């Protein structure tokens, strides 16, 4: 972990660094998501799923040693020093940090990236009659998806895929397009190593990964404008629901107007869990209605409760975000 | 006799037809014959001698699933990729990186698979064992079997449970494989894994005559770098081992900036796809220098590495031997050179002391007392958890750790002595590992130290094969149009009529 790359996640205000760690590794709890909302870091949910606590702590320590940040051990918070803010601004100016990426809109970038690499590899190798090769995707999920996608892809669709791919790439900035195409490879095109690519672009290895996410995010936004039936569009899976499975159910029942007592009665889960589902929806759903009377009644039933207080916090945060 | 001969011919014909090799490497045939006759086997075969060919070869011969236990995820995914590319049967790696659904999918469809790779801790999970007990296990392979021995430098407590697991799974045959095992380690493997069963043992000599061994004494980091530059002047396919990820990245950068070589680094911090890419480019000579750390060198399966440099020293003979084994697999002359530096030795000592687990830490772990060392070192915590999984008591852990730490210290001393010695290096390597070491006829292509012969003289005399200029790769990035032309046959701008 290159420590300074974490700087954009922090600010001059103190932030709970553990909540940010859990957010980055994709631990979906109301507390972590609220922190994400408060710090405007929700788009980076699940950004580094494999980041270890050790590496993260070591990186924080390094930021402190470089006088970029201060840590409050008692309340486990971190805040940027004025030097840290300057370095943060300079870093963001270099343009590779993925400020536009949004997990809830673009999907898991690691999966999306593998989908892109593998679909290109599969079509290229097929056209060059290479049948035996190692797939450019480590996740069995992606391997299966692209296999099925390829079976459905006739000759015309393959050609269409190539056309859509090159047309979409042409809409990126020249630098973005370069980075994207030089990351691709197949049996007919060996490509370059990440190290060589990063040297050519004057980025470090970790910076290259972030630059890729930035490009990928721009690319995916354009892909999303294609009709559902477009072969390039079918390579990728975009989030259809941003809530967890349980929360989706609870929230749908709630939205359908079912009385809370009935929802609780018909569920196998504890009421407190169901209330957490509502809180998750309050954080993540753009159309969550804070003003509806049923919600007010639920709060009024126990105003001092965890639920009531949390909901109020979330409402304030979301309005604050919208005011920005 | 005729029987044996006809088997030999059959096996060789099959080797040629299925794998397109002309002949077996030492040990492969002996082990195959033993296993085909239903015997358990232990193979001590040098790195690069094609250990994985043995179980690949056996796939059509033994019914049931082949369970392959291996300590490193990277190793498993490399082997998996090779099996998938060669279409030898359905294969999977079972590890913690799989999501619940993929994992369940594999476990509930085990009969469809031929090869299943996993780490010992995964294999020992009750759920995994239950699924495996319901199907036929044709072959149980314990790779890197020296990890079972507390006399080996890579002892892993999880390996100790494999003997018991083997009895539960009742495989038709069990095969233990390792590249480095002294007599003591071999005895440990046999006792732990095969307790009361008979076992066929094949031990190849560790000697690889085409590897030239060289110790290069340097008194400073700067001097080391200068000698390396000398070594990098010719375009020999080169593998450089360093001690840490950070050094790997920094050295690769330095080489890229100061030489004309096509270089990349390779370590555990890279994701799978990036590692695959470095391997692929190195295999096809698009890259001609790779700077790697030891843990992930295993995936590099390249024949024509003719210069192998230990820029930092490994901790023991075992690692040294494994690593130099990556050179000269094409049987051509190769130079293996290790820098000997007092500084490096001190650094290694310091790192070892830092990583040592103190008895007090063990006690705290077992009594669940908050321990600062454990909080700050997930490495130590993982080791202790492994002991706990293997049902070690607190006292046993302390005793075992004390012993392994002593063993490691001794091994480092022996290795350091070797590095500083003036007698034939090859003879010493054979004496250390081989059961019945042969007498080496030292000659001009055997070994030397920088104290008796200068590096430039040596390089002239060895005359290693350089890569021909025709394959000189370009690192200039391509434009999108250039990339599309190489990737796709039907280009968007061409009309498809
Ligand atoms: Zn010699």
């Amino acid at each position: 972990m290159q420590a300074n790359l974490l700087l954009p996640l922090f600010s001059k205000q103190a932030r709970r660094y553990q909540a940010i760690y859990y957010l980055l590794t994709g631990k979906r709890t109301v507390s972590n998501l609220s922190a994400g909302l408060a710090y405007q870091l929700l788009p980076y949910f699940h950004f580094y799923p494999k980041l270890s606590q050790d590496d993260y702590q070591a990186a924080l320590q390094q930021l402190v040693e470089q006088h970029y940040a201060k840590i409050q051990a008692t309340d486990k918070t971190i805040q940027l020093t004025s030097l840290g803010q300057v370095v943060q601004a300079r870093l963001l100016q270099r343009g590779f940090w993925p400020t536009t990426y949004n997990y809830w809109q673009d999907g898991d970038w690691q999966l999306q990236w593998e989908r892109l690499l593998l679909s290109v590899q599969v079509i290229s190798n097929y056209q060059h009659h290479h049948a035996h090769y190692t797939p450019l995707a480590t996740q069995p999920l992606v391997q299966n998806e692209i296999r099925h996608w390829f079976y459905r892809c006739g000759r015309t669709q393959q050609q269409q895929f190539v056309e859509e791919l090159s047309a979409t790439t042409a809409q990126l900035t020249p630098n973005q397009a370069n980075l994207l195409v030089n990351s691709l490879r197949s049996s007919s095109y060996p490509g370059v190593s990440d190290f060589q690519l990063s040297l050519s672009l004057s980025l470090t290895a970790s910076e290259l990964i972030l630059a890729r996410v930035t490009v990928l995010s721009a690319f995916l936004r354009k892909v999303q404008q294609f009709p559902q039936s477009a072969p390039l569009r079918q390579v990728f899976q975009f989030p259809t629901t941003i809530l967890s499975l349980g929360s989706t159910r609870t929230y749908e029942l709630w939205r359908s107007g079912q009385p809370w007592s009935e929802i609780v009665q018909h569920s196998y889960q504890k009421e407190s869990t169901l209330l957490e589902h509502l809180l998750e929806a309050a954080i993540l759903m753009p159309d969550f209605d804070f003003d509806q009377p049923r919600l007010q009644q639920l709060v009024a039933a126990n105003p001092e409760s965890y639920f009531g207080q949390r909901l109020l916090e979330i409402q304030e945060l979301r309005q604050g975000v919208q005011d920005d | 006799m005729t029987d044996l001969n006809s088997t030999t011919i059959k096996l060789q014909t099959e080797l040629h037809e299925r794998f397109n090799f002309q002949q077996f490497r030492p040990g492969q045939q002996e082990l195959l014959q033993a296993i085909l006759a239903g015997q358990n086997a232990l193979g001590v075969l040098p790195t690069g001698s094609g250990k994985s060919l043995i179980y690949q070869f056996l796939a059509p011969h033994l019914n049931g699933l082949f369970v392959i236990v291996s300590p490193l995820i990277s190793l498993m995914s490399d082997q998996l990729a090779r099996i998938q590319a060669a279409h030898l049967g359905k294969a999977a790696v079972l590890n913690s990186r799989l999501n619940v659904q993929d994992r369940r999918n594999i476990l509930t469809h085990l009969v469809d698979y031929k090869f299943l790779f996993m780490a010992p801790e995964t294999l020992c999970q009750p759920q995994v064992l239950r699924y495996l007990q319901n199907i036929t296990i044709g072959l149980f392979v314990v790779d890197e079997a020296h990890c079972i021995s507390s006399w080996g430098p890579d002892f892993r407590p999880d390996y100790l449970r494999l003997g018991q697991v083997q009895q539960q799974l009742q495989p038709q045959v069990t095969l233990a494989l390792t590249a480095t095992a002294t007599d003591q380690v071999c005895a440990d493997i046999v006792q732990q894994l095969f307790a009361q069963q008979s076992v066929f043992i094949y031990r190849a000599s560790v000697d690889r005559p085409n590897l030239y061994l060289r110790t290069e004494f340097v008194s400073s980091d700067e001097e080391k770098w200068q000698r390396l530059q000398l070594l990098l002047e010719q375009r020999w396919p080169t593998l450089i081992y360093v001690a840490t990820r950070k050094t790997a990245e920094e050295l690769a950068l330095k080489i890229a900036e100061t030489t004309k070589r096509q270089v990349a680094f390779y370590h555990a911090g890279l994701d799978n796809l990036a590692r695959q890419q470095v391997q692929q480019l190195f295999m096809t000579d698009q890259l001609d220098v790779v700077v790697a750390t030891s843990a992930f060198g295993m995936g590099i399966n390249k024949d024509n590495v003719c210069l192998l440099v230990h820029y930092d020293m490994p901790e023991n003979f075992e690692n040294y031997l494994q690593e130099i084994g990556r050179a000269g697999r094409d049987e051509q002359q190769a130079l293996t050179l290790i820098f000997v530096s007092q500084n490096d030795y001190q650094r290694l000592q310091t790192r070892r002391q830092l990583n040592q687990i103190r008895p007090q830490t063990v006690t705290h772990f077992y009594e669940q007392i908050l321990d600062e060392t454990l909080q700050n070192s997930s490495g130590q915590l993982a080791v202790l958890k492994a002991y706990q999984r293997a049902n070690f008591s607190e006292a046993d852990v302390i005793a075992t750790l004390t012993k392994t730490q002593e063993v490691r210290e001794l091994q480092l001393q022996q290795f350091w002595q070797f590095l500083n010695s003036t007698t034939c290096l090859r003879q010493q390597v054979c004496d250390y590992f081989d059961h019945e070491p042969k007498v080496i006829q030292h000659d001009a292509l055997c070994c030397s130290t920088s104290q008796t012969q200068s590096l430039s003289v040596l390089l002239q005399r060895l005359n290693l094969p350089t890569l021909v200029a025709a394959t000189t790769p370009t690192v200039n990035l391509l434009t999108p149009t250039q990339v599309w032309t190489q990737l796709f046959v039907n280009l968007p701008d061409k009309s498809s009529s």
Side-chain angles (χ1 to χ4, degrees):
Chain A
M1 173 104 265
Q2 187 184 323
N4 69 328
L5 296 181
L6 291 176
L7 286 172
L9 302 171
F10 307 131
S11 88
K12 61 181 175 185
Q13 264 90 41
R15 291 181 170 182
R16 284 160 42 224
Y17 56 78
Q18 277 309 337
I20 294 178
Y21 172 77
Y22 292 127
L23 197 75
L24 290 175
T25 49
K27 301 277 177 305
R28 197 193 271 263
T29 66
V30 167
S31 156
N32 298 331
L33 292 174
S34 309
L37 183 65
Y39 308 150
Q40 300 182 40
L41 293 177
L42 275 179
Y44 305 103
F45 182 78
H46 201 264
F47 194 83
Y48 286 124
K50 289 177 197 159
L51 177 65
S52 76
Q53 184 71 254
D54 282 2
D55 287 349
Y56 182 69
Q57 291 296 340
L60 296 189
Q61 207 48 52
Q62 213 179 318
L63 293 181
V64 171
E65 279 159 20
Q66 289 169 314
H67 306 288
Y68 294 167
K70 279 183 289 193
I71 280 182
Q72 279 293 344
T74 39
D75 51 0
K76 296 197 170 184
T77 58
I78 185 167
Q79 65 189 110
L80 295 184
T81 62
S82 37
L83 176 63
Q85 290 167 54
V86 173
V87 178
Q88 179 198 49
R90 241 186 264 149
L91 180 91
L92 290 171
Q93 263 170 14
R94 289 178 57 205
F96 65 82
W97 213 86
T99 45
T100 52
Y101 170 77
N102 185 345
Y103 173 82
W104 313 98
Q105 185 182 349
D106 302 323
D108 180 333
W109 65 264
Q110 309 205 47
L111 293 179
Q112 301 288 49
W113 181 250
E114 291 199 350
R115 287 175 181 123
L116 174 66
L117 290 186
L118 185 59
S119 60
V120 169
Q121 183 196 28
V122 164
I123 297 293
S124 171
N125 284 354
Y126 179 76
Q127 292 191 344
H128 289 91
H129 312 287
H130 290 290
H132 294 198
Y133 54 90
T134 310
L136 282 175
T138 53
Q139 308 269 353
L141 171 79
V142 173
Q143 292 181 6
N144 280 332
E145 279 173 11
I146 300 298
R147 188 180 302 128
H148 288 129
W149 168 82
F150 177 66
Y151 288 151
R152 292 194 310 268
C153 240
R155 187 184 290 260
T156 335
Q157 280 98 333
Q158 285 184 29
Q159 181 59 20
Q160 204 183 328
F161 168 78
V162 174
E163 282 165 22
E164 289 165 354
L165 179 67
S166 75
T168 310
T169 309
Q171 292 174 43
L172 301 171
T173 68
N175 280 342
Q176 289 181 331
N178 264 341
L179 197 163
L180 184 92
V181 298
N182 283 286
S183 302
L184 302 173
R185 54 197 199 252
S186 76
S187 304
S188 65
Y189 171 54
V192 295
S193 73
D194 284 3
F195 180 65
Q196 292 169 318
L197 188 56
S198 62
L199 284 181
S200 311
L201 300 170
S202 306
L203 298 168
T204 67
S206 316
E207 290 167 4
L208 176 67
I209 293 172
L210 293 179
R212 257 187 196 143
V213 180
T214 303
V215 176
L216 181 68
S217 161
F219 181 84
L220 290 174
R221 299 291 162 87
K222 302 191 191 306
V223 171
Q224 275 180 303
Q225 290 162 13
F226 280 97
Q228 288 282 348
S229 59
L232 181 64
R233 171 72 179 73
Q234 291 194 341
V235 164
F236 301 97
Q237 308 289 328
F238 293 100
T240 46
T241 168
I242 56 183
L243 297 179
S244 62
L245 219 59
S247 303
T248 306
R249 259 185 62 85
T250 310
Y251 184 55
E252 264 166 20
L253 290 173
W254 169 259
R255 267 210 311 197
S256 74
Q258 210 178 86
W260 184 251
S261 56
E262 269 180 38
I263 298 178
V264 175
Q265 218 166 42
H266 293 141
S267 171
Y268 295 105
Q269 285 168 308
K270 285 189 292 194
E271 181 172 6
S272 58
T273 309
L274 300 172
L275 286 170
E276 293 236 341
H277 290 163
L278 269 196
L279 289 175
E280 191 185 323
I283 296 169
L284 293 175
M285 297 307 287
D287 58 352
F288 189 88
D289 184 0
F290 285 93
D291 301 323
Q292 67 170 294
R294 291 160 67 221
L295 191 65
Q296 298 309 322
Q297 285 163 17
L298 206 56
V299 175
N302 22 21
E304 300 299 310
S305 73
Y306 171 82
F307 174 75
Q309 293 190 352
R310 262 291 147 98
L311 191 74
L312 200 65
E313 271 171 40
I314 292 167
Q315 186 175 10
E316 279 169 3
L317 284 169
R318 285 197 55 171
Q319 277 160 358
V321 171
Q322 276 153 20
D323 291 346
D324 273 355
Chain B
M1 263 331 252
T2 42
D3 251 17
L4 201 62
N5 276 336
S6 71
T7 328
T8 308
I9 292 166
K10 262 193 230 157
L11 288 178
Q12 277 173 353
T13 314
E14 189 179 334
L15 178 77
H16 183 61
E17 282 171 4
R18 285 179 55 209
F19 298 92
N20 202 22
F21 291 133
Q22 291 306 323
Q23 42 180 255
F24 285 106
R25 304 235 190 178
Q28 286 178 334
Q29 188 175 328
E30 291 81 350
L31 288 162
L32 283 172
Q33 277 170 345
I35 293 167
L36 289 171
Q39 258 191 297
N40 291 326
L42 162 60
V44 185
L45 304 174
T47 324
S49 60
K51 283 184 289 171
S52 52
L53 180 120
I54 298 174
Y55 52 80
Q56 292 176 12
F57 191 100
L58 288 166
H61 293 278
L62 299 176
N63 288 330
L65 179 71
F66 289 12
V67 174
I68 298 135
V69 180
S70 181
L72 293 173
I73 290 183
S74 63
L75 266 185
M76 292 188 268
S77 37
D78 287 333
Q79 279 163 0
L80 178 75
R82 239 167 274 150
I83 285 175
Q84 283 175 335
H87 292 252
L88 291 166
K90 202 167 175 185
V93 174
L94 202 62
N95 64 30
S96 52
R97 294 189 191 174
L98 288 178
N99 63 37
V100 181
Q101 203 181 351
D102 286 332
R103 182 189 165 93
R104 193 183 307 134
N105 245 325
I106 294 172
L107 285 173
T108 50
H109 294 86
L110 279 178
V111 283
D112 298 337
Y113 286 86
K114 190 68 202 176
F115 300 93
L116 187 64
F117 292 88
M118 63 192 120
E121 52 272 32
T122 311
L123 175 62
C124 294
Q125 289 164 5
Q127 182 206 27
V128 175
L129 277 175
R130 262 200 311 280
Y131 278 106
L132 286 172
Q133 276 173 309
N134 286 329
I135 61 161
T136 309
I137 311 288
L139 182 67
F140 182 54
V141 181
V142 180
D143 203 2
E144 309 297 330
H146 59 278
C147 294
I148 214 170
S149 167
S150 55
W151 290 107
D154 304 317
F155 172 58
R156 287 173 183 249
D158 284 310
Y159 262 71
L160 283 181
R161 291 190 288 168
L162 294 180
Q164 190 198 337
V165 167
Q166 190 238 30
Q167 295 196 338
Q168 282 173 285
L169 294 183
Q170 300 272 320
Q172 289 167 37
V173 189
T174 299
L175 167 66
L177 290 167
T178 173
T180 52
T182 56
D183 283 347
Q184 210 159 19
V185 172
C186 272
D188 255 13
I189 296 172
V190 171
Q191 195 213 333
Q192 298 286 353
L193 202 57
F194 298 106
Q196 308 298 325
Q197 310 160 40
S198 78
V199 53
F200 171 82
I201 300 178
Y202 182 91
R203 292 183 64 179
S205 167
V206 294
D207 183 33
R208 298 261 314 274
N210 65 317
L211 299 187
Y212 187 95
L213 309 182
R214 165 83 172 190
T215 47
E216 193 71 29
F217 290 84
V218 288
S219 52
S220 68
D221 290 354
E222 184 49 37
E223 197 184 350
K224 195 154 81 165
W225 167 239
Q226 278 165 6
R227 301 268 175 99
L228 184 69
Q229 278 177 298
L230 181 68
L231 287 163
L232 293 177
E233 276 173 10
Q234 301 290 324
R235 261 197 85 209
W236 296 310
T238 301
L239 180 56
I240 303 172
Y241 276 109
V242 294
T244 64
R245 294 179 189 186
K246 195 159 163 268
T247 318
E249 295 186 15
E250 286 169 357
L251 189 60
L253 190 62
K254 220 165 154 183
I255 292 171
E257 283 168 348
T258 48
T259 73
K260 292 201 172 85
R261 305 295 296 271
Q262 304 303 331
V263 59
F265 62 84
Y266 185 100
H267 61 58
L270 290 178
D271 66 46
N272 271 344
L273 293 183
R275 272 193 299 114
Q276 251 181 46
Q277 172 73 337
V278 173
Q279 270 178 57
Q280 197 58 41
L281 293 170
F282 194 40
M283 292 277 283
T284 51
D285 298 328
Q286 317 258 338
L287 277 175
D288 51 36
V289 181
V290 167
V291 187
T293 58
S294 65
F296 278 69
M298 307 234 183
I300 298 177
N301 197 15
K302 180 183 169 70
D303 279 343
N304 64 341
V305 173
C306 67
L307 173 61
L308 189 138
V309 178
H310 274 104
Y311 201 68
D312 295 326
M313 62 179 279
E315 283 186 42
N316 51 50
F317 257 122
E318 281 80 356
N319 291 352
Y320 171 73
L321 186 74
Q322 290 232 5
E323 287 162 7
I324 62 170
R326 320 266 162 220
R329 289 186 180 193
D330 54 7
E331 306 291 330
Q332 301 293 310
Q333 181 71 59
L335 166 62
T336 74
L337 177 145
I338 180 165
F339 284 108
V340 185
S341 140
Q342 194 69 41
N343 290 348
D344 288 352
Y345 179 65
Q346 296 303 345
R347 274 195 283 256
L348 193 58
Q349 287 281 30
T350 315
R351 213 170 44 236
R352 289 163 55 84
Q353 269 150 23
L354 273 175
N355 290 338
Q356 271 186 9
I357 306 178
R358 289 166 305 145
Q360 191 196 4
T361 310
V362 180
T363 308
H364 285 172
F365 172 77
Y366 272 86
E367 291 170 5
Q368 297 182 329
I369 296 168
L370 213 59
D371 184 288
E372 209 170 306
T373 320
L374 282 180
Q375 278 185 313
N376 294 323
S377 166
S378 63
Q380 297 202 356
L381 189 63
V383 170
L384 291 174
K385 279 184 176 162
Y387 277 107
Q388 199 175 38
R389 279 198 301 270
N391 293 324
F392 273 66
S393 70
E394 181 189 329
D396 285 348
V397 175
I398 292 175
T400 313
L401 281 175
T402 311
K403 178 183 145 199
T404 51
Q405 279 159 9
E406 275 169 19
V407 168
R408 277 174 204 173
E409 184 54 40
L410 183 72
Q411 283 168 335
L412 176 61
Q413 294 311 327
Q414 282 176 317
F415 187 56
W416 183 240
Q417 230 168 43
F418 160 78
L419 291 179
N420 288 284
S421 66
T422 48
T423 59
C424 177
L425 299 169
R426 186 182 306 277
Q427 183 71 62
Q428 295 183 67
V429 171
C430 291
D431 290 348
Y432 185 84
F433 287 104
D434 284 354
H435 184 53
E436 287 163 337
K438 57 181 170 184
V439 177
I440 299 292
Q441 300 302 318
H442 173 86
D443 60 19
L445 294 177
C446 176
C447 66
S448 67
T449 95
S450 56
Q451 288 161 331
T452 56
Q453 183 182 45
S454 87
L455 186 56
S456 42
V457 171
L458 172 69
L459 292 179
Q460 265 171 12
R461 201 174 42 185
L462 282 179
N463 194 21
L464 304 168
T466 52
L467 290 169
V468 282
T471 59
T472 306
T474 49
V475 266
N476 292 337
L477 298 189
L478 300 186
T479 64
T481 316
Q482 288 169 323
V483 173
W484 304 139
T485 315
Q486 295 206 27
L487 281 171
F488 303 117
V489 176
N490 298 314
L491 294 169
D493 50 356
K494 281 185 198 159
S495 72
S496 50
S497 60

